[in-house]
Amino acid sequence: MFKFIPGSLRQYSNLPKSIYVLFLSNIINKMGNFVVPFLTLYLTHNLKFSADKVGFLIMIASGFYLPGSLLGGKLVDKYGRKSILLISQSLSALFFIPCVIYPYSPSSAYFIYGNVFFTAMADPAYVSMTTDLSHKNNRNEVFSLLYIGSNIGTAIGPLLAGYLFNKYVRWLFIGNIISILLSIYLIYRFVPETIGNISNLELDDNNINTEEKAEEKGFLKAFFNRPTLIIFAIVSIIFSFTHAQSLFALPLQVTDTFGVEGSKLFGYVIATNAIVVVTLTSFLTNRTKNLNPIINVALGGVFYFLGFGMLYYIKTPLLFILSSILWTSGEILVFTNQSVYIVSKTPITHRGRFNSVMPLITGIGRAFGPAIMGKFIALTEIKAAWLLIMVLISIASMTMYTLYLFEKGKASAKIS
């Protein structure tokens, strides 16, 4: 039936039907995510807030993500993935309604906090549901397919939002609401609740990792009983710190090198990033799916080293595009395999809580990366940022490989 599908795409042909629904839902949700990409412009241009106040408001908005994610993780494990996802997403859309009615009122900005809180609450439900619908033999394909969907939507959404922002700012919020409602309708209609019907519970021991089995322990005991997962999360901070420079140090580099033409080149670089994600994710997943996820993350670090490291030396636009291809290949390997590794270490009974806490740890580098690198650049120069990145990502990749060797040795010892 699937013989005419290219090999790299055929790997997605036999996944659960619910995964395809989540894939489509993800595209719609990300495609309609109009507000967040233009939040800074909305607050400064439309609401006339000063730049320093905008920075403060966005920092506060980020602070709402933490309690939302933690609460969502707790509720997901107790009451179910689907119900919490539908409720939280619906409430996130509800908080945009005042912004539709009063798009130019300064008070509208504060309703966005509610949207951030409930969006964060939905994230653990989404990841837990995805994990329930997969098993260790198809997780690379599942998470890479959803990653492709997310990037397809992200590539299209800002283009639509750019048009709406200039002429119809109210429709930024209306469009976002519509996309959320369409997304949750698909899940409501076609995806079953998974917490009471987890397919992995019915699989034999060859299809489920030991550390995924149900546990009676509380969250903290289960979490600290997985030291390799904690080490993995801490090292992943360097990976997220590195990737954060694609939206911070990189645009500074191109404007420093090319002046007023730099912004145009940066647009090409980001467009290249989106194209590479959509076109190469299936290929790279197909070629690396039989490797250990930690090895793939370490390999992603090598691509980061090459792609970001070459920015210290290059001065031509074509080489900046090549750099984007290289570090985006690393992004694909890191993002998809981080998820695969984390869920392979997460007990079924704790998926919501693990999936709320782990992104908060691994994302520390992304959250603080621009501020730290900004201070570093101020003390040195923009090009020195890439020397720092080469050193840090080398350490992180070697640590990941060492972690792989440790786990391999531990597994061999158990067998013997």
Side-chain angles (χ1 to χ4, degrees):
M1 177 179 177
F2 299 107
K3 62 182 180 179
F4 297 111
I5 301 176
S8 60
L9 295 179
R10 199 176 300 148
Q11 62 186 318
Y12 303 123
S13 60
N14 292 310
L15 299 177
K17 292 181 180 179
S18 294
I19 293 296
Y20 300 128
V21 176
L22 292 178
F23 170 72
L24 180 59
S25 171
N26 210 14
I27 292 177
I28 294 172
N29 202 12
K30 296 296 183 181
M31 190 183 298
N33 185 23
F34 297 151
V35 176
V36 172
F38 283 78
L39 183 57
T40 299
L41 290 178
Y42 171 71
L43 295 175
T44 54
H45 180 76
N46 296 97
L47 300 188
K48 308 301 182 183
F49 290 147
S50 62
D52 59 337
K53 185 172 183 178
V54 168
F56 177 76
L57 291 174
I58 292 178
M59 181 182 70
I60 296 299
S62 300
F64 273 76
Y65 189 92
L66 174 61
S69 181
L70 294 176
L71 176 61
K74 179 70 174 179
L75 295 177
V76 161
D77 284 335
K78 187 173 182 179
Y79 297 108
R81 288 56 157 130
K82 183 175 179 178
S83 56
I84 298 303
L85 179 62
L86 296 178
I87 292 171
S88 56
Q89 284 285 70
S90 298
L91 290 172
S92 74
L94 185 66
F95 271 86
F96 274 158
I97 292 178
C99 303
V100 173
I101 300 172
Y102 304 108
Y104 298 102
S105 170
S107 61
S108 294
Y110 302 102
F111 285 95
I112 296 175
Y113 292 164
N115 174 269
V116 172
F117 178 87
F118 287 109
T119 298
M121 190 172 155
D123 286 348
Y126 183 85
V127 179
S128 298
M129 179 180 286
T130 302
T131 308
D132 293 345
L133 292 167
S134 64
H135 54 79
K136 74 173 188 178
N137 294 328
N138 67 5
R139 284 212 180 111
N140 286 78
E141 293 87 345
V142 167
F143 279 96
S144 69
L145 179 64
L146 297 183
Y147 181 64
I148 291 172
S150 176
N151 280 274
I152 290 174
T154 301
I156 298 173
L159 297 177
L160 299 174
Y163 173 76
L164 295 172
F165 181 83
N166 290 326
K167 296 183 178 180
Y168 311 102
V169 68
R170 182 178 276 108
W171 276 92
L172 284 177
F173 299 99
I174 296 176
N176 218 148
I177 292 171
I178 291 173
S179 70
I180 292 172
L181 295 179
L182 286 175
S183 175
I184 62 177
Y185 172 76
L186 288 174
I187 294 173
Y188 168 77
R189 182 70 176 81
F190 299 107
V191 180
E193 173 58 69
T194 60
I195 193 170
N197 186 32
I198 300 173
S199 60
N200 287 349
L201 291 172
E202 301 173 0
L203 297 173
D204 59 43
D205 288 341
N206 293 323
N207 288 322
I208 184 169
N209 294 302
T210 302
E211 292 181 278
E212 287 186 72
K213 294 181 179 179
E215 291 190 12
E216 297 294 332
K217 301 175 183 176
F219 167 73
L220 290 178
K221 286 186 177 180
F223 183 72
F224 286 107
N225 196 39
R226 290 161 169 76
T228 55
L229 179 61
I230 296 173
I231 294 171
F232 180 88
I234 293 172
V235 178
S236 292
I237 293 173
I238 298 178
F239 284 84
S240 66
F241 176 88
T242 298
H243 186 262
Q245 305 315 315
S246 64
L247 294 177
F248 181 74
L250 180 53
L252 294 178
Q253 173 82 0
V254 294
T255 53
D256 181 71
T257 305
F258 299 100
V260 293
E261 293 297 314
S263 59
K264 185 185 296 184
L265 175 60
F266 181 65
Y268 291 143
V269 167
I270 295 304
T272 301
N273 170 256
I275 292 170
V276 171
V277 166
V278 172
T279 57
L280 284 189
T281 296
S282 59
F283 173 80
L284 288 174
T285 301
N286 190 50
R287 293 297 182 272
T288 62
K289 64 183 179 181
N290 293 323
L291 299 177
N292 187 287
I294 306 180
I295 289 292
N296 286 334
V297 172
L299 181 60
V302 174
F303 279 104
Y304 276 174
F305 179 90
L306 296 173
F308 287 117
M310 67 185 290
L311 294 171
Y312 179 80
Y313 303 97
I314 63 178
K315 294 183 179 179
T316 62
L318 186 59
L319 289 178
F320 274 87
I321 299 299
L322 175 61
S323 165
S324 178
I325 294 172
L326 289 172
W327 62 256
T328 301
S329 299
E331 172 190 325
I332 294 168
L333 291 170
V334 171
F335 278 40
T336 55
N337 285 280
Q338 274 183 341
S339 299
V340 171
Y341 181 78
I342 290 170
V343 300
S344 73
K345 299 291 182 180
T346 303
I348 291 172
T349 45
H350 296 64
R351 279 178 176 163
R353 284 162 285 179
F354 270 65
N355 287 317
S356 66
V357 171
M358 290 302 295
L360 297 177
I361 299 175
T362 60
I364 289 174
R366 186 173 298 105
F368 294 98
I372 294 173
M373 188 60 83
K375 292 290 186 182
F376 180 79
I377 292 171
L379 294 173
T380 55
E381 60 174 344
I382 178 61
K383 289 180 64 177
W386 310 118
L387 291 177
L388 177 62
I389 288 299
M390 284 191 283
V391 172
L392 291 177
I393 203 62
S394 296
I395 295 172
S397 296
M398 288 188 289
T399 305
M400 283 294 186
Y401 184 69
T402 303
L403 186 62
Y404 161 73
L405 294 178
F406 172 78
E407 286 203 338
K408 184 179 179 182
K410 190 176 179 181
S412 299
K414 284 185 177 180
I415 295 175
S416 60

